[in-house]
Amino acid sequence: MTIKRQTRVLGILLRRSDWVTAGYLADSLGVTARSVRSYVTAINRRAPEAIESGPQGYRATERAQTVELAELDPDRGTPRERTHALVRRLLETPDGVDVFDAALEMHVSRDTVESDLRRVRSMLRGTELSFAREAAVVRVTGTELARRRLVSRLVHEELDEGSVDVDALRRAAGHLGLDTASFTAVGHDLRDALRELDHATNELAVFDVVLHIAIAADRVARGHALARADASANETEDGVATAIGRIARERFGVELRSGDLAHLASLVMLSVVDPVETPSAHGVDERVGAAVRAAVGRAAETYGLRFAQEQFASRLALHVQNLVLRAAEELWSRNPMTRSLKAASPMLFDVAVSIAGDLSQALGIAIPDDEIADIAMHVGAALEFDRQRSAALSAALVSPGLEQMRRRLAAEIARAAGHEVEITETSTSYDPDWAAFATDLVLTTVDPPATVRGGSDRVVRIAPFLSDRDADRIADAANRVRRARRLSGLREEMARWFLPGAFVRDVGEATPAEIIRRLGAPLIAEGIIDESYIDSAIEREALSSTAFTESLAVPHAMTMSARRTAIAVAVSETAVPWGSDRVHVIALAAFSESDRPAFQTVFEQFVEVFADPANARRITRRATDRDSFLTELATLIDEG
């Protein structure tokens, strides 16, 4: 547990890349600040100067990027290392492993080995492998593919929390005894080979397939090849198989046989080759296509989305078809953007959760968060054009002087910042009526009066010939206007939506489901929602945690069935466990169909306020009731 917590401390510091207080780290881990200091000291003892400390807390240094805590752990070899060693021996020895011999070789007691074997049995749950025992001899039975899938699962369980990069995968695979020296090179080789075969690739899946190639090379080198493949492989997969054979020979020194090559080629086609850009040879099963169309249609209706549903559903169906096939192989995508996507675009992620929930029920597969993030990226790509068009702000251009110069300037603004602003008014006056402009921004080549310049963020001084610095100023001003507008909308609405009496201070030790029910009780009493809404919110939580930032959870149902929109809030100075995170603020949101246009505004802006953990800490210290909570929230919005 100590090493895991040290790893979490290091992971948080690396992810934040700035000063983090001891209090925040303590809350995130559920320990005291004193324990955090001991973890930092232990890390620095093993890797000097990996973490620096100061009045603002702790910060990771460049040295922290190279720390491999697991390899430096003085207690390594107990108990996880022993368990993995037992698994390797069981997978290698068809005749089984003698408990007494294992105890002697590992320099531990028989009772210790028996305890480790109980862990091995738990690892086999949900796999196609079985645990058998005759007296002191234990063995694992099952197919070669099932054995390889178990190794892959153990590697992923070894990964540092939140780490999805190739270095973390390489370290974890090394702990399972795999040859990882060429991991990066194999990944590059595979990408180059697929490019030569004119395949569009999904970069996020490359190194997971590299892991499977390494596992295959290791098993074949030990005499455990897959059975010879039949003749059903197509020409496309034959080309991929040939490339994999060459890579394994050059990088691992192993000659893979036809069964292994055919299997690995199918994994590449399922996960690395982008099915949307390079249509899969498997095609789309009608059951999958129907499930995708139904899920997309329901999400579009629920969230009021506008996009080409048929076109989007067709493209998504290719991805989901591969997802179904990969689920059978336990070949999951690991998306390093999941956390940031969830925090930056919670509504978009929620649409993906809705689609994933329907697909999971219809197709009988569990869809983890990283795969939901992939679906969110597909949704975001489909909506991107409309979002960009609606994002443009109106601007007035004040540019006295030559008409030719003014036209050139307008054209330069359109080229450099056309996605940010659209010029809808033009003034040639040296002294225009500044208050008369009805646009979001005013771009001017002349200095406005001091009263205008000092009292408005929407006026942007630019040069007659646009520079890169001018384009940056326009973009910054556009962002300020958008943010002010968004937060102003939230400030105006929150007093109406935050229900009097629906405020809880310090929820104590409780599960997310218990907290959701407690927050839902006053909403039910007011007739805003019923028990089915609470049940739906708990079901939504089971699909994917609603901890959208490191401090805030926003549980809600998958439907907008509330009689009116209302929010119940709980704040806690002691961080509350929520999924794999710990949060200080929980806001149960009940949305109604009539307020659907405001859904994205409330959802994303509320999350934005709490994106900074300091805001959550401030509110949890000062908010003792609903009114003080709203006061602090309004202050934060104004200061933002």
Side-chain angles (χ1 to χ4, degrees), residues 441-487:
L441 295 175
V442 177
L443 313 180
T444 174
T445 60
V446 296
D447 287 325
T451 53
V452 173
R453 188 169 60 249
S456 176
D457 285 337
R458 74 185 185 117
V459 178
V460 183
R461 178 68 162 84
I462 60 175
F465 300 98
L466 198 73
S467 66
D468 290 342
R469 184 179 298 178
D470 293 326
D472 290 342
R473 287 198 190 100
I474 294 172
D476 289 343
N479 286 334
R480 287 196 303 271
V481 169
R482 288 195 195 92
R483 187 171 191 275
R485 185 177 296 168
R486 290 196 306 267
L487 296 181

Side-chain angles (χ1 to χ4, degrees), residues 31-58:
V31 299
T32 65
R34 182 177 180 180
S35 294
V36 170
R37 287 195 297 274
S38 70
Y39 300 152
V40 170
T41 300
I43 294 169
N44 283 336
R45 187 180 300 121
R46 298 186 177 99
E49 300 180 358
I51 299 175
E52 63 177 317
S53 58
Q56 295 173 278
Y58 301 102

Side-chain angles (χ1 to χ4, degrees), residues 180-192 207 210 247 251:
T180 62
S182 301
F183 254 43
T184 301
V186 173
H188 292 317
D189 289 349
L190 183 58
R191 280 191 296 252
D192 291 343
F207 286 103
V210 169
I247 293 170
R251 297 298 183 182

Side-chain angles (χ1 to χ4, degrees), residues 210-268:
V210 169
L211 169 63
H212 283 265
I213 295 175
I215 293 172
D218 180 71
R219 295 293 293 172
V220 169
R222 297 173 187 273
H224 304 290
L226 292 178
R228 180 178 296 275
D230 57 30
S232 61
N234 56 51
E235 184 178 344
T236 299
E237 290 192 6
D238 282 344
V240 174
T242 300
I244 293 173
R246 183 183 68 252
I247 293 170
R249 188 164 52 250
E250 293 175 355
R251 297 298 183 182
F252 294 108
V254 174
E255 194 72 40
L256 296 180
R257 300 178 186 177
S258 62
D260 293 283
L261 292 174
H263 177 64
L264 292 170
S266 70
L267 295 186
V268 169

Side-chain angles (χ1 to χ4, degrees), residues 512-553:
E514 291 170 341
I515 295 172
I516 290 171
R517 292 197 181 282
R518 183 174 177 183
L519 290 175
L523 303 185
I524 293 174
E526 289 288 327
I528 295 172
I529 59 174
D530 56 21
E531 287 288 349
S532 65
Y533 190 95
I534 299 299
D535 293 338
S536 178
I538 293 173
E539 290 174 10
R540 161 65 180 83
E541 199 66 43
L543 290 172
S544 175
S545 168
T546 56
F548 289 98
T549 75
E550 296 173 346
S551 305
L552 171 72

Side-chain angles (χ1 to χ4, degrees), residues 126-331:
T127 72
E128 298 174 7
L129 298 173
S130 301
F131 187 92
R133 180 164 188 163
E134 293 180 10
V137 177
V138 294
R139 64 173 53 85
V140 168
T141 60
T143 65
E144 174 60 22
L145 268 180
R147 292 168 187 265
R148 296 184 184 192
R149 289 168 185 160
L150 176 63
V151 176
S152 174
R153 175 185 292 189
L154 294 179
V155 169
H156 283 292
E157 289 177 355
E158 268 286 289
L159 286 172
D160 297 339
E161 184 170 326
S163 297
V164 295
D165 59 282
V166 63
D167 287 336
L169 187 65
R170 177 183 55 77
R171 289 195 299 270
H175 298 157
L176 269 293
L178 299 178
D179 178 4
T180 62
S182 301
F183 254 43
T184 301
V186 173
H188 292 317
D189 289 349
L190 183 58
R191 280 191 296 252
D192 291 343
L194 293 173
R195 194 175 297 116
E196 290 176 4
L197 293 169
D198 294 326
H199 291 314
T201 59
N202 173 9
E203 293 282 339
L204 299 176
V206 168
F207 286 103
D208 205 50
V209 171
V210 169
L211 169 63
H212 283 265
I213 295 175
I215 293 172
D218 180 71
R219 295 293 293 172
V220 169
R222 297 173 187 273
H224 304 290
L226 292 178
R228 180 178 296 275
D230 57 30
S232 61
N234 56 51
E235 184 178 344
T236 299
E237 290 192 6
D238 282 344
V240 174
T242 300
I244 293 173
R246 183 183 68 252
I247 293 170
R249 188 164 52 250
E250 293 175 355
R251 297 298 183 182
F252 294 108
V254 174
E255 194 72 40
L256 296 180
R257 300 178 186 177
S258 62
D260 293 283
L261 292 174
H263 177 64
L264 292 170
S266 70
L267 295 186
V268 169
M269 296 304 297
L270 285 175
S271 56
V272 181
V273 174
D274 189 337
V276 175
E277 300 299 332
T278 309
S280 170
H282 296 282
V284 176
D285 183 88
E286 178 53 35
R287 177 167 166 260
V288 171
V292 170
R293 288 191 296 274
V296 169
R298 181 170 178 269
E301 181 180 357
T302 300
Y303 295 93
L305 304 179
R306 292 177 182 160
F307 53 83
Q309 285 189 42
E310 283 300 321
Q311 181 180 358
F312 170 61
S314 297
R315 292 171 65 85
L316 183 61
L318 287 168
H319 175 81
V320 174
Q321 175 69 49
N322 279 24
L323 171 58
V324 171
L325 296 171
R326 285 188 290 111
E329 294 285 345
E330 295 189 11
L331 188 68

